Amino acid sequence: MARAGLTRLTGNGSGTCNKNDCPNVYRTATGSILVQGGVSDAFTPPQGEGLVEIPESVLKEAVRALGW
């Protein structure tokens, strides 16, 4: 899936991080949610899954953007 096909719900690419390297939340064309963040090793997830860590503020921003 190309990033161009996603709707970015958080961040504007300004501040201390570049346009695409901050923790962010995206919505896919099918309505699924994708999360970008730092890789976490809190536990080992099942094969084919991964863990990422994002700040609470990023998640709150995504919820506001979705109108939830």
Side-chain angles (χ1 to χ4, degrees):
M1 174 181 311
R3 187 186 306 246
L6 303 173
T7 300
R8 188 172 176 167
L9 301 175
T10 57
N12 62 9
S14 64
T16 60
C17 51
N18 296 319
K19 182 177 179 185
N20 296 319
D21 68 354
C22 300
N24 280 296
V25 177
Y26 299 87
R27 188 175 209 175
T28 68
T30 62
S32 295
I33 303 296
L34 293 177
V35 178
Q36 173 186 347
V39 176
S40 173
D41 61 359
F43 65 89
T44 302
Q47 186 174 359
E49 296 183 5
L51 300 175
V52 298
E53 186 172 338
I54 61 168
E56 182 179 322
S57 61
V58 172
L59 188 55
K60 286 180 178 179
E61 184 180 352
V63 168
R64 281 193 298 274
L66 289 167
W68 293 353

